Amino acid sequence: MLKWIDNAVFYEIYPTSFYDSNGDGIGDLRGIAEKADYVKSLGVDAVWFNPFFKSPFKDGGYDVADYYEIDKRFGTMEDFEYMVKVFKEKGIKIILDLVIGHTSDKHKWFKKSTLAKKNKYYDYYVWTDDVNTSYPGAIRGLYYRNGGYVPNYYASQPALNYGFNQLDEKAPWKLHYKDERLRPLREEILNIMRFYFDKGIDGFRVDLAGHLIKEGQVFDYDKYYDDYDEKTDGIQWLWGQLLGTIRKEYKDKVFIAEWDIPQLAITKCGFDMDFLTHDTFYFGDLYRNEKDLNLSPYFERGDNYFSPNGKGTLDNFVHYVEYLYGKLGDKGMFTAPTGTHDEVRMSTRKSPDLIKCIFAFMLTLKQVPMIYYGDEIGIEHNYSVSKDGGGKRTGARTPMQWDNGKNRGFSTKKTTYLPTSDKVGQSVAEQEKDKNSILNVVRDLIKIKKWYPALKASSDQTFIEKGYPAVFERTDGKQTITVLINPSDTVINKKVDYSKVIYSQNTQFDKDNITLDKQSFAILLK
């Protein structure tokens, strides 16, 4: 595991919605730089930025038209360099989104690949060999080239060609992942990495990291252990080529996979971290199972653990993460984020005390925590907005709420690109004044995580109870911390051996007898 991520806390910023410095209603890089002191005050170590490269924004910037140009809505390359400088001076690392599964159909690479005559970019994208050749999802009949291109997600996102997992005699147009015709694309990707590493960034979060090789992964959400059908030869070889090359040139850089299968991303492909995403059964059990709290009804199974009715379960989540600890060893670690730009806001329909219970759990759990901007003040999901191809996801991308002034302090423009919220209590200015606010409790919890070595990602963890309350221990061999979490409406009495109360909420202590009121937690030094 990279030494610096062992005790790190990450923060995600969606650039469109963090802070508008020039009054056009859209967040920008200068605005983010202006709020660097706030980010520093949280105690986080690194910030992952969603894409701000040139893009037609048909998918929230995940349709890149030029990897080397900053989209004008966010500023210029000089603004980016300034932002990096400001954050580096404050000791905060910069993580960029590396979107290399596809580009925009406006990218010059793709435009060149659509021409009838073969050229440098002919094999950069996945094309069939004839317009009459059918392939699932292939778009045909739009260009002079005799063939159809294969998109990722939207039709405007043509898939870059890293090859197929195996050859197919019936489809000679499918190139094997080791085919030398694919080497130039890999070199392009390495050059993009080099360009931004030389600008001073500290790593990449890789979009669709496990899906670059076509027909190389079959994922069953009901089987997330070793027993599902997973063809890893191609993707393992590809990341061996990319990470194997770049790590020789740049040291201590972090690579975070968007894969949701840490046992593959980290142990087989060399990533340092991988996500546990919310649209999975084992993570949904925490606080996503209820109606409208997932992007898809497929993952709604009723009660979640952080539901006040006390009918949820931690069994699936704990079973999975304990499996992962054994698989990952000291090679890397997963992050179980509070949310992302692609998820329903975690604070939706939850009280401040319940939100604080979630943060107490996530910031003491054996993992590398990641906080989605605004979760630290309890911003809720906006179900009434859809823009930039986001659909329901757009509701998690609304502006940061700085104060109770115009546009919640986000922008001076009359109408902002995405709507701001009018809910009272969910702003930085309001919560700064209250020592028991979500914001200040999050700051306190991050300080505690940094202070006690037992809470490092590399320290051991044992779940003692998985009901209500949840009880688990963290230890580095020298100190042991006991964590108790009671998100339910039930008052619970527990007898616990401890020497010091590190931090607690809604909890009473009488020697070794502890009363956990509703929505309570306690962090104890054993």
Side-chain angles (χ1 to χ4, degrees), residues 136-421:
I139 309 296
R140 297 177 286 170
L142 296 182
Y143 300 102
Y144 290 114
R145 179 169 176 168
N146 183 24
Y149 72 90
V150 178
N152 284 345
Y153 206 55
Y154 291 141
S156 58
Q157 294 168 306
L160 286 167
N161 191 5
Y162 300 95
F164 285 74
N165 203 56
Q166 51 190 330
L167 296 178
D168 185 346
E169 292 181 359
K170 296 181 180 179
W173 54 271
K174 295 182 181 180
L175 303 182
H176 189 263
Y177 57 82
K178 289 185 180 181
D179 194 302
E180 279 299 301
R181 285 172 285 183
L182 304 180
R183 182 188 293 273
L185 174 60
R186 296 197 301 272
E187 286 300 321
E188 294 271 16
I189 302 307
L190 289 169
N191 285 334
I192 294 168
M193 294 184 196
R194 293 178 182 118
F195 178 82
Y196 285 101
F197 281 145
D198 289 343
K199 294 284 185 185
I201 75 157
D202 300 281
F204 289 101
R205 173 266 193 188
V206 182
D207 190 62
L208 294 178
H211 299 266
L212 301 184
I213 302 293
K214 291 299 179 184
E215 299 177 0
Q217 179 177 345
V218 179
F219 183 74
D220 185 343
Y221 281 107
D222 293 310
K223 297 178 180 179
Y224 39 81
Y225 299 110
D226 284 338
D227 59 351
Y228 58 76
D229 181 15
E230 187 64 51
K231 305 181 183 75
T232 61
D233 291 348
I235 197 68
Q236 187 173 349
W237 180 88
L238 175 63
W239 283 114
Q241 295 293 304
L242 294 174
L243 294 183
T245 299
I246 205 71
R247 287 194 190 278
K248 292 176 183 177
E249 303 172 27
Y250 300 89
K251 308 299 181 185
D252 295 324
K253 304 298 185 182
V254 67
F255 284 86
I256 308 171
E258 185 209 21
W259 199 334
D260 193 44
I261 311 179
Q263 65 269 35
L264 300 182
I266 294 170
T267 64
K268 292 192 176 184
C269 294
F271 281 89
D272 303 290
M273 293 168 55
D274 187 15
F275 288 84
L276 300 189
T277 59
H278 298 282
D279 278 341
T280 48
F281 290 135
Y282 53 85
F283 204 142
D285 284 351
L286 285 181
Y287 48 89
R288 299 282 176 174
N289 279 345
E290 296 176 2
K291 182 174 173 57
D292 290 331
L293 292 186
N294 279 283
L295 294 181
S296 169
Y298 177 70
F299 295 101
E300 294 166 0
R301 298 194 292 177
D303 303 301
N304 57 69
Y305 183 75
F306 285 94
S307 176
N309 64 19
K311 295 181 180 179
T313 178
L314 278 179
D315 287 347
N316 291 331
F317 178 76
V318 172
H319 188 54
Y320 183 50
V321 298
E322 287 183 342
Y323 161 83
L324 288 179
Y325 299 143
K327 284 289 184 181
L328 301 182
D330 60 359
K331 295 182 177 65
M333 183 52 65
F334 61 83
T335 176
T338 62
T340 71
H341 61 290
D342 281 338
E343 308 295 337
V344 174
R345 283 273 186 183
M346 67 91 118
S347 300
T348 306
R349 300 201 303 263
K350 293 182 177 65
S351 69
D353 278 354
L354 195 52
I355 295 167
K356 287 181 263 185
C357 284
I358 293 173
F359 272 107
F361 181 80
M362 302 307 272
L363 287 166
T364 56
L365 188 75
K366 179 179 172 67
Q367 63 139 341
V368 179
M370 183 178 289
I371 299 169
Y372 185 49
Y373 84 97
D375 282 354
E376 75 274 18
I377 55 173
I379 293 180
E380 296 185 50
H381 204 80
N382 183 337
Y383 289 93
S384 64
V385 60
S386 176
K387 207 161 190 173
D388 296 334
K392 189 175 179 179
R393 300 174 298 167
T394 314
R397 304 172 182 180
T398 56
M400 182 65 173
Q401 296 164 193
W402 297 104
D403 56 41
N404 286 335
K406 182 179 180 180
N407 297 320
R408 305 308 295 270
F410 164 72
S411 173
T412 58
K413 190 175 183 182
K414 184 177 180 180
T415 303
T416 56
Y417 188 73
L418 293 175
T420 54
S421 171

Side-chain angles (χ1 to χ4, degrees), residues 403-443:
D403 56 41
N404 286 335
K406 182 179 180 180
N407 297 320
R408 305 308 295 270
F410 164 72
S411 173
T412 58
K413 190 175 183 182
K414 184 177 180 180
T415 303
T416 56
Y417 188 73
L418 293 175
T420 54
S421 171
D422 59 0
K423 291 193 175 181
V424 176
Q426 295 175 7
S427 76
V428 172
E430 290 171 285
Q431 295 196 19
E432 290 274 15
K433 302 172 186 176
D434 179 4
K435 68 176 184 179
N436 293 317
S437 66
I438 301 170
L439 174 60
N440 283 320
V441 168
V442 169
R443 285 171 169 159

Side-chain angles (χ1 to χ4, degrees), residues 1-151:
M1 186 188 304
L2 277 178
K3 185 176 181 180
W4 70 265
I5 71 171
D6 191 17
N7 204 27
V9 178
F10 285 68
Y11 190 71
E12 180 190 351
I13 289 178
Y14 191 69
T16 297
S17 298
F18 203 61
Y19 186 62
D20 170 20
S21 71
N22 60 7
D24 66 354
I26 304 174
D28 48 60
L29 301 184
R30 286 275 171 176
I32 294 170
E34 287 184 27
K35 294 298 184 180
D37 281 335
Y38 169 77
V39 177
K40 178 70 175 177
S41 77
L42 296 175
V44 301
D45 304 272
V47 178
W48 157 37
F49 295 91
N50 298 113
F52 43 70
F53 313 110
K54 184 178 179 181
S55 169
F57 264 74
K58 292 185 178 180
D59 186 21
Y62 282 87
D63 47 330
V64 178
D66 192 328
Y67 292 100
Y68 299 101
E69 187 175 340
I70 305 301
D71 196 275
K72 62 183 180 181
R73 68 171 63 190
F74 301 120
T76 63
M77 185 60 73
E78 289 72 27
D79 292 328
F80 168 71
E81 291 167 350
Y82 174 73
M83 183 190 74
V84 172
K85 178 177 178 290
V86 170
F87 273 78
K88 299 293 276 188
E89 287 174 349
K90 298 183 185 303
I92 300 172
K93 297 181 184 297
I94 300 289
I95 314 299
L96 299 189
D97 230 320
L98 188 63
V99 187
I100 55 171
H102 50 261
T103 68
S104 164
D105 57 1
K106 306 302 181 186
H107 198 293
K108 66 179 182 181
W109 298 350
F110 182 69
K111 290 179 180 179
K112 293 284 188 180
S113 81
T114 67
L115 301 178
K117 187 177 180 180
K118 285 191 175 183
N119 58 72
K120 175 182 176 181
Y121 304 101
Y122 197 80
D123 294 315
Y124 271 41
Y125 295 85
V126 181
W127 285 86
T128 66
D129 57 355
D130 191 278
V131 72
N132 294 313
T133 300
S134 63
Y135 185 77
I139 309 296
R140 297 177 286 170
L142 296 182
Y143 300 102
Y144 290 114
R145 179 169 176 168
N146 183 24
Y149 72 90
V150 178

